[in-house]
Amino acid sequence: MIRLLALSILAVSLGISLAKEQAEGSLESSENKPGAEVCRYKKGVWSTCNQLTQLETRDDQLKVDKSSSECSKTRQITRNCKKDKRNMKTTPSKKGLCLYHKSREATWSECKSGVKTKTLKLITDKDHASCPSVKHIARKCKNKGNKSKRKEKKRIEKEEKKKKKMDHKKDVKLAEKCEFGPWSVFSPCSNGFKLRRRQVVRGDGTKICVKHSVQKVSC
């Protein structure tokens, strides 16, 4: 009985592991797909806040040995300024002097070297602050395909963990309630299946014991 359960659990585990390997393989193949542009960069350091545009910028350097030849040697990423309490007292704030169009009013460009951009035009220049005529926003592109594959991988791992836990509980319950005699030989093949049985020594009449006293396999 224990051997049969072990074989059943092994078969299920192999099936889940195969699905897991296929998901991982699919993820790797999508990243290394021939002809696809792969651009990997070494992150730079964020600049101080530009008080007029209220943006911080970061210049990243291309990892040539890990990237496609079509990638740009550098890329620039922007983000909204973070509050830095250390400089609040020493640096006079110019926030609000330069008013640009809302970000939602502009559309993102197509991804190039893993970066998409927006350009916002200046609306108001208060107090003649010499505001830049445009405000450039740059963000890293998100690969939705890889994200969905990673999500599928996590789902398979979660199912595998849940299945192992359920199988363990079943084994414990079976060992507590049931005891069996040796297996009989398999019956002749009929309608694509063959059967073998064993006597229930302890737990006869218990549903779970009766269920595991018969084995049905394809032939």
Side-chain angles (χ1 to χ4, degrees), residues 8-49:
S8 300
I9 294 171
L10 178 61
V12 174
S13 299
L14 286 173
I16 296 175
S17 297
L18 179 59
K20 183 178 177 182
E21 289 175 3
Q22 289 174 340
E24 291 175 346
S26 179
L27 176 60
E28 291 175 358
S29 63
S30 67
E31 292 179 342
N32 299 318
K33 186 177 180 181
E37 185 183 59
V38 178
C39 303
R40 301 186 184 280
Y41 291 85
K42 182 179 179 181
K43 293 181 180 179
V45 179
W46 286 106
S47 70
T48 55
C49 178

Side-chain angles (χ1 to χ4, degrees), residues 49 83 97 103 119 122 153-154 167 178 190 212 214-215:
C49 178
K83 289 184 178 180
L97 293 180
S103 178
T119 301
L122 180 68
K153 181 182 174 181
K154 287 183 179 180
D167 288 341
C178 311
S190 176
H212 286 87
V214 180
Q215 183 185 15

Side-chain angles (χ1 to χ4, degrees), residues 160-182:
E160 183 180 20
K161 186 177 181 180
K162 184 179 179 180
K163 179 63 179 174
K164 286 181 179 179
K165 188 175 181 180
M166 291 177 64
D167 288 341
H168 176 69
K169 287 183 177 180
K170 187 186 294 183
D171 291 345
V172 171
K173 187 176 181 180
L174 199 64
E176 290 175 348
K177 294 187 176 183
C178 311
E179 186 178 343
F180 302 95

